[in-house]
Amino acid sequence: MPRIRVLTHARVRAAVVAALLAPLAACSSSADPSGPDAKGLSGAADRPVTVTVTPTGTRVPAGRPVTVTATGGRLTSVTVTDAEGHRLAGKAAADGRSWVSDRKAVPGAAYSVTAATRTDGGTDRSTRAAFTTAPAGKVNKVDWRPGAGATVGVAQPVSLVFDRPVKNRAEVERQLRVTTSNGTKGSWGWIRDWSGGDRVDWRPEAYWKPGTKVTLNAELNGTDSGPDGGWFVRDYTTTFTVGARQIVKVDLDSHRLTLERNGETVRRIPVSGGTPGGDKRSWRGTAVLMAKEGTINMNSETVGLGNAYDKMVDYSMRLTWSGMYAHAAPWNARFFGSANHSSGCIGMSDANAAWLYGQVRPGDPFEITGRETKGVVAPGNGFGTWNLSWAEWQQKSALR
């Protein structure tokens, strides 16, 4: 499971709430408010600044920014911290009359606000306030790929799958930011994951440039995913690097697999794909290598093919969630290079499978062609996002 960086989250405790709650307009002065200030000004020009903090109270709804306003003077600084000492950054207006936090107040937190002010007469004072937010009734979590520090192939998308439904897609998408070392542009697209859950992927218009460093910052803490979805109570971040340009081309008509690296052919391998004429046919289109799973048990009952097979398979390279792999298939040797006679996977000899397994990495595209196939890999069946045109993919963003 990739590492998670928790940026802002706090539990509300009665003792903390009691210590933090205070009248929102309470002031403590650094000068005598009853007399003239150091400049000799008095009266209206030196009346205390009225400070208003929003939200206010206990167990208030989360998901709104903290706002501080000043009447009769200016804000010189604002500090907002939670019970664990984490600061909520923000920006003041040019006239110094208001301040708004960059992030929203998160569920189940206690916040302390300190506002330093200056009167029109030049007297400095400070105001303290506090509020607490209601805890999250439901929590939405995220499973994302690729993991932090990974080196991936040129077709690897950034992919987030949510535990619970996401109805507020535009609001969630606004909290997602992808930055790259070379300014690569891309787009988010909302799709249905093979598991049935909501999912959002980010991909460039074309395959990544090798060497690109990519960072995802998902500042979701304090965002409501909508009805039945619940709150996000964590931020997520991951950084990965794009490796060499490797493309695996599989021609099921000629029964050949070709590995190309940086535009040059490295090796051609005889293979056998899915048997034509039924459910055992292979998928076509671009399937991205999801994982190298080594030796695994493959059981036909798990993919709806009855009792066709149940065996241990070596050098297994997963291409789709629906069960298509490239792998060693020595029992099918007489068909390599001459006929498609598998249950949907791309089979090859032990030696060729071992070699290919050592060459490829997750994120490498397998570009599969062939007349006798059962359709194009769907966007949510593994990483099938490349089977949509760039225009089609952009339309899947909630911000279009």
Side-chain angles (χ1 to χ4, degrees):
M1 183 70 180
R3 294 179 297 168
I4 299 172
R5 184 174 68 185
V6 180
L7 299 184
T8 309
H9 182 248
R11 293 183 177 178
V12 178
R13 296 182 176 88
V16 175
V17 174
L20 292 178
L21 289 177
L24 292 179
C27 298
S28 60
S29 174
S30 59
D32 180 4
S34 64
D37 61 17
K39 296 181 180 180
L41 298 176
S42 61
D46 202 34
R47 289 175 181 169
V49 179
T50 300
V51 175
T52 303
V53 177
T54 305
T56 180
T58 59
R59 299 176 66 87
V60 300
R64 293 182 292 175
V66 180
T67 301
V68 183
T69 59
T71 304
R74 295 169 54 89
L75 296 166
T76 57
S77 70
V78 175
T79 302
V80 180
T81 57
D82 64 23
E84 295 179 356
H86 300 133
R87 295 186 63 172
L88 198 61
K91 296 181 178 65
D95 63 3
R97 306 291 182 177
S98 63
W99 180 97
V100 180
S101 64
D102 296 333
R103 300 288 303 275
K104 301 168 185 175
V106 305
Y111 289 97
S112 176
V113 182
T114 301
T117 61
R118 180 166 295 155
T119 69
D120 292 337
T123 300
D124 294 328
R125 292 179 171 87
S126 64
T127 297
R128 291 179 176 83
F131 66 92
T132 66
T133 54
K138 296 177 182 177
V139 173
N140 206 337
K141 298 180 181 179
V142 179
D143 180 23
W144 77 102
R145 295 170 186 248
T151 298
V152 301
V154 296
Q156 175 69 55
V158 181
S159 184
L160 289 77
V161 181
F162 303 95
D163 280 2
R164 302 181 67 89
V166 179
K167 301 299 183 184
N168 297 339
R169 292 183 171 184
E171 184 175 353
V172 169
E173 190 174 329
R174 288 189 186 96
Q175 304 306 120
L176 308 177
R177 182 165 55 92
V178 173
T179 56
T180 68
S181 59
N182 53 18
T184 300
K185 303 299 183 183
S187 178
W188 291 101
W190 290 86
I191 57 179
R192 179 69 62 182
D193 186 63
W194 187 258
S195 66
D198 285 337
R199 171 175 151 190
V200 64
D201 286 6
W202 192 99
R203 52 155 276 204
E205 180 175 359
Y207 291 156
W208 293 102
K209 180 180 178 181
T212 304
K213 295 187 183 300
V214 186
T215 299
L216 164 70
N217 283 305
E219 296 184 336
L220 292 170
N221 196 3
T223 302
D224 182 6
S225 58
D228 300 322
W231 292 89
F232 295 101
V233 296
R234 290 177 173 175
D235 292 337
Y236 302 84
T237 186
T238 188
T239 300
F240 61 93
T241 303
V242 180
R245 183 180 176 86
Q246 294 192 141
I247 300 175
V248 181
K249 296 187 176 181
V250 182
D251 186 340
L252 295 177
D253 292 335
S254 64
H255 320 293
R256 290 289 186 276
L257 179 153
T258 303
L259 175 63
E260 295 182 355
R261 181 179 299 129
N262 299 323
E264 301 292 331
T265 297
V266 180
R267 182 182 289 192
R268 292 187 176 90
I269 296 173
V271 298
S272 179
T275 303
D279 291 339
K280 292 184 177 181
R281 291 174 294 171
S282 299
W283 294 104
R284 71 177 182 274
T286 299
V288 177
L289 179 59
M290 301 175 66
K292 300 198 294 184
E293 298 181 4
T295 300
I296 62 174
N297 176 257
M298 291 191 181
N299 188 316
S300 56
E301 292 182 354
T302 65
V303 292
L305 294 177
N307 61 355
Y309 57 86
D310 183 5
K311 60 182 65 180
M312 301 303 293
V313 179
D314 295 329
Y315 307 111
S316 298
M317 296 163 270
R318 180 182 280 275
L319 300 177
T320 69
W321 283 126
S322 62
M324 185 168 73
Y325 287 78
H327 61 74
W331 57 87
N332 223 19
R334 68 185 183 275
F335 298 109
F336 297 154
S338 61
N340 293 320
H341 200 271
S342 78
S343 294
C345 293
I346 300 164
M348 63 202 79
S349 70
D350 282 335
N352 282 329
W355 178 84
L356 184 64
Y357 193 91
Q359 299 296 312
V360 295
R361 59 168 53 95
D364 284 345
F366 279 58
E367 298 178 349
I368 305 167
T369 59
R371 293 185 300 273
E372 288 290 339
T373 56
K374 59 184 175 184
V376 176
V377 178
N381 188 8
F383 300 129
T385 58
W386 298 99
N387 295 312
L388 299 178
S389 70
W390 178 236
E392 290 171 329
W393 180 250
Q394 287 179 301
Q395 290 304 311
K396 289 189 171 295
S397 167
L399 300 180
R400 294 288 173 178

